[in-house]
Amino acid sequence: MEISFYHPSMAFLAFALLVPFIPRDLWLNKVFRGTLALVAPVLALYSIMTVVPGTYGAIEYLDQALILGRVDKLSIIFGQVFAVIAIIGMIYGMHVEDKGHYVCGSLYVAGGFGCVFAGDLLTVFLFWELMSIGSTFLIWQARTKESVGAGFRYFMYHTVGGLFLLAGLLLKYKATGSFVFDGVDPSAAMYYDWLILIGFCVNAAVVPLHAWLPDAYPRASVAGAVFMCAFTTKTAVYVLCRGFAGWEVLAIAGTCMAIYGVLYACIENNARRILSYHIVSQVGYMVAGIGIGTAMTLNGAVAHAYAHILYKGLLFMGTGCLLYATGTAKLDKLGGLAYKLPWVMVLYMIAALSISGMPGFNGFISKTMTIAGAAEAHRTFLALGMEIAAVGTFISVGIKLPYFAFWGGKREYVGEVKPIPVNMYVGMAICGMLCIAQGLYPEMLYRYLPFAVEHAFEPWHLDKVVASGLLLGFSGLAFYLTRQIITPHAMLNLDFDWFYRFIGRTVMRVFCWPISKVDDIWTEVYRTVGLRSLIEIGDGTSWFDKKGIDTVVDGSAYTVRNIGRAGAKIQTARLQDYLAMAAVLGLGIFALVWYFG
């Protein structure tokens, strides 16, 4: 069969291998560096847009068929938006000279593409772990003390999640003899399906498995965070949609995520932690849609994942500009930046209105579909929960963050403001235009949705527009009434991370206490017995050295010296003395022979 699909991961893996060998002088050329960085995502987008659905790249390994390219409507739409955000992310980070950023980012993106097009669970696992490794090093690229700790915690979470996934797929293979990755009927789910689900839920940041996200994402590098907000959780959304649609536990968990995330976002001070909690919240809409499991909610989950990658990328790019320009993303230390960074403010507000579901922006056409699908499925409480979360979204991301960062009652920002590189503005502008274009022309996105529905969803009905306007207006009023309460304060909210750290400290104490006691006892034994024995052994060896070795060596030396002196006295240089000694020696020998003979 003729191969007509070039796997998007291949170009990124090749780029990651090539970068370390590029001469430094050539690499420092921004035009060369930026052009080369764009080759892989552009090739990926071209491959995805021209591929014919089918199965490609089956590899036989250890009696297993690893399917690298399962291409259908679901994988195509995720692959498409991954390629788009990879292009935008490369443009946004084009000013970064550190080769590590490009290597780690490329490995991370390659892992995401590999999971999306994987046709079996074993292939999913291999790329899943590649994604974990690449993203961990991307956090460390910030090169701060906080990023080092966050990177280790991030890697530990995802290692545990990967172990659940590995255990599940191995047990499934033992039970079924196959690593097939298809939808699982919740009524026929086995224990290994639950293990796989837990592994996926870690990457999806399902509460309470979410604490790694607001801990790690704010500490990633400015350019690296753009990639991170797009791939890990959305890859998890993809695999959940592929394998666990219609699971009631996901419908409830997703709605809880949507509400939980905005509650913490409303009290956060760090702009990037606010956005991180909103990833938890927005992914909650997608997980809930997958759990409800109708064609409408599944399409809504996929559409929202697509829209979310664009507007969340733009939000992180906007707050990344704040961090780049001022050195901080804490709202209590910002203010008045609308006069210093007006275009950053404008582009950020496009994303803020998108995530809030404002008509005319892409969040409106995706979030509305999920909520409407829940209502049509008679899941009233779930739909109501998502509507409540939408209120908190506009309060925290659409009003609170820009108010305190760009205005905050200050007309002049006190402090040094670095100029923003042009490439960062270009990346943000492209993302902003896509958010508006999809909002105005929903068919740009809807045409790629994977699931067939009985009737097309039309967001631009008067009732939906009015409902959205009323909801946003109510949110604005709620902010005005609570503006004194949600004023940013310099503090760190640990939420469930507190329990994880408590468990960690408890485990350390449980293991460290007996070990330390044994060490104390051993130290005392060594001090009283071992050290004294060593001293006595040392004294003995010293005595032996003096009385034994020195006696033998010195005695031999004295004997040789005395023989030498005697020999010197004998050698008189007089012939009569030598004749006398010869005569004495001869008589002595004769006497011995006569006596013993």
Side-chain angles (χ1 to χ4, degrees):
M1 182 181 66
E2 182 182 355
I3 297 176
S4 58
F5 175 61
Y6 300 95
H7 201 292
S9 294
M10 297 301 104
F12 286 95
L13 292 174
F15 180 58
L17 292 174
L18 175 65
V19 166
F21 300 100
I22 299 175
R24 179 172 175 79
D25 293 340
L26 185 60
W27 178 257
L28 292 179
N29 185 310
K30 186 175 180 179
V31 175
F32 171 82
R33 183 175 67 246
T35 303
L36 185 64
L38 286 174
V39 171
V42 169
L43 285 177
L45 182 60
Y46 174 78
S47 173
I48 292 166
M49 296 301 293
T50 58
V51 68
V52 176
T55 301
Y56 306 91
I59 300 175
E60 292 292 332
Y61 182 71
L62 297 178
D63 297 328
Q64 296 298 321
L66 303 181
I67 302 173
L68 300 178
R70 174 167 58 182
V71 181
D72 55 19
K73 296 187 70 174
L74 182 60
S75 58
I76 286 175
I77 190 170
F78 274 91
Q80 182 189 116
V81 71
F82 280 3
V84 170
I85 198 63
I87 293 173
I88 294 171
M90 289 295 185
I91 294 173
Y92 182 80
M94 197 178 291
H95 63 283
V96 178
E97 296 178 352
D98 191 340
K99 290 183 177 180
H101 165 75
Y102 297 89
V103 174
C104 300
S106 296
L107 293 177
Y108 181 37
V109 175
F113 275 117
C115 291
V116 165
F117 289 103
D120 61 275
L121 285 170
L122 187 57
T123 305
V124 169
F125 175 76
L126 294 176
F127 283 103
W128 197 263
E129 293 305 297
L130 176 62
M131 191 167 57
S132 174
I133 294 170
S135 54
T136 299
F137 279 95
L138 206 55
I139 296 170
W140 286 337
Q141 281 300 303
R143 303 182 189 278
T144 63
K145 180 180 178 181
E146 292 77 12
S147 68
V148 172
F152 276 113
R153 290 189 294 272
Y154 175 92
F155 186 70
M156 186 162 29
Y157 276 110
H158 289 279
T159 298
V160 173
L163 290 174
F164 272 104
L165 174 58
L166 179 62
L169 66 91
L170 291 177
L171 290 171
K172 179 174 182 176
Y173 179 77
K174 182 179 179 181
T176 65
S178 173
F179 289 114
V180 65
F181 182 31
D182 289 324
V184 179
D185 185 350
S187 63
M190 304 298 293
Y191 60 94
Y192 46 77
D193 295 314
W194 285 98
L195 291 175
I196 294 171
L197 177 63
I198 292 172
F200 289 159
C201 285
V202 171
N203 274 28
V206 174
V207 178
L209 307 174
H210 70 287
W212 57 269
L213 197 156
D215 177 46
Y217 282 24
R219 295 183 170 97
S221 63
V222 169
V226 177
F227 290 111
M228 297 197 67
C229 71
F231 286 91
T232 299
T233 51
K234 260 58 75 185
T235 302
V237 168
Y238 165 81
V239 293
L240 289 174
C241 192
R242 172 74 71 183
F244 295 92
W247 282 53
E248 177 66 17
V249 65
L250 293 179
I252 298 172
T255 307
C256 293
M257 290 171 64
I259 298 173
Y260 186 91
V262 295
L263 291 178
Y264 266 92
C266 288
I267 62 174
E268 266 298 332
N269 178 44
N270 187 302
R272 300 212 295 175
R273 277 181 68 87
I274 291 174
L275 299 183
S276 297
Y277 273 112
H278 269 291
I279 293 178
V280 176
S281 177
Q282 297 298 301
V283 171
Y285 285 89
M286 307 167 207
V287 172
I290 293 168
I292 295 171
T294 66
M296 178 72 78
T297 60
L298 289 172
N299 277 338
V302 173
H304 201 48
Y306 198 116
H308 179 268
I309 288 174
L310 295 177
Y311 63 62
K312 185 61 71 173
L314 182 52
L315 288 169
F316 265 93
M317 285 189 274
T319 54
C321 286
L322 300 181
L323 181 59
Y324 180 90
T326 67
T328 183
K330 296 181 179 179
L331 298 183
D332 64 317
K333 297 181 180 180
L334 297 174
L337 288 173
Y339 307 98
K340 297 288 186 179
L341 303 171
W343 284 109
V344 174
M345 183 269 293
V346 170
L347 292 166
Y348 172 87
M349 287 309 301
I350 291 175
L353 294 175
S354 297
I355 193 175
S356 302
M358 175 72 74
F361 299 88
N362 62 354
F364 171 70
I365 68 168
S366 60
K367 185 183 296 185
T368 307
M369 181 185 296
T370 306
I371 298 174
E376 286 187 6
H378 306 291
R379 308 305 300 275
T380 306
F381 286 105
L382 299 184
L384 181 60
M386 287 185 273
E387 290 284 15
I388 294 172
V391 174
T393 299
F394 187 54
I395 290 175
S396 54
V397 178
I399 304 177
K400 172 188 172 179
L401 195 157
Y403 175 78
F404 289 106
F406 295 108
W407 290 282
K410 304 176 185 177
R411 294 192 60 82
E412 288 289 338
Y413 179 72
V414 179
E416 189 72 22
V417 178
K418 289 173 59 178
I420 304 297
V422 174
N423 60 282
M424 295 175 76
Y425 282 118
V426 173
M428 294 174 70
I430 295 173
C431 214
M433 287 189 293
L434 289 174
C435 289
I436 295 174
Q438 285 184 347
L440 295 176
Y441 304 101
E443 188 59 26
M444 289 179 60
L445 175 58
Y446 287 174
R447 63 185 296 185
Y448 296 107
L449 295 179
F451 301 100
V453 294
E454 296 180 359
H455 57 88
F457 178 75
E458 177 54 59
W460 286 102
H461 278 172
L462 181 62
D463 59 337
K464 294 184 178 63
V465 175
V466 171
S468 178
L470 290 174
L471 188 67
L472 296 176
F474 174 78
S475 303
L477 177 62
F479 174 79
Y480 178 78
L481 296 175
T482 61
R483 65 190 185 280
Q484 300 298 328
I485 300 175
I486 63 175
T487 299
H489 299 286
M491 60 182 295
L492 177 65
N493 301 305
L494 291 179
D495 76 278
F496 272 92
D497 203 27
W498 183 89
F499 294 100
Y500 298 139
R501 298 187 186 199
F502 173 76
I503 293 171
R505 289 193 297 267
T506 303
V507 171
M508 289 294 291
R509 289 171 182 170
V510 168
F511 285 98
C512 288
W513 185 83
I515 293 174
S516 65
K517 291 301 180 184
V518 172
D519 182 67
D520 291 342
I521 295 172
W522 169 250
T523 301
E524 188 64 27
V525 171
Y526 173 77
R527 184 184 298 113
T528 56
V529 178
L531 188 59
R532 183 177 299 172
S533 299
L534 288 176
I535 293 174
E536 292 176 354
I537 292 172
D539 292 339
T541 55
S542 177
W543 178 87
F544 178 74
D545 179 65
K546 292 178 181 179
K547 301 299 182 179
I549 296 176
D550 287 353
T551 299
V552 173
V553 174
D554 293 347
S556 300
Y558 293 147
T559 302
V560 171
R561 185 188 64 181
N562 293 332
I563 293 173
R565 287 177 178 176
K569 292 179 180 180
I570 292 173
Q571 296 178 5
T572 61
R574 291 183 293 184
L575 181 59
Q576 59 270 26
D577 293 338
Y578 295 151
L579 291 173
M581 285 189 291
V584 171
L585 181 61
L587 290 173
I589 294 173
F590 175 76
L592 290 172
V593 172
W594 175 79
Y595 179 79
F596 288 104

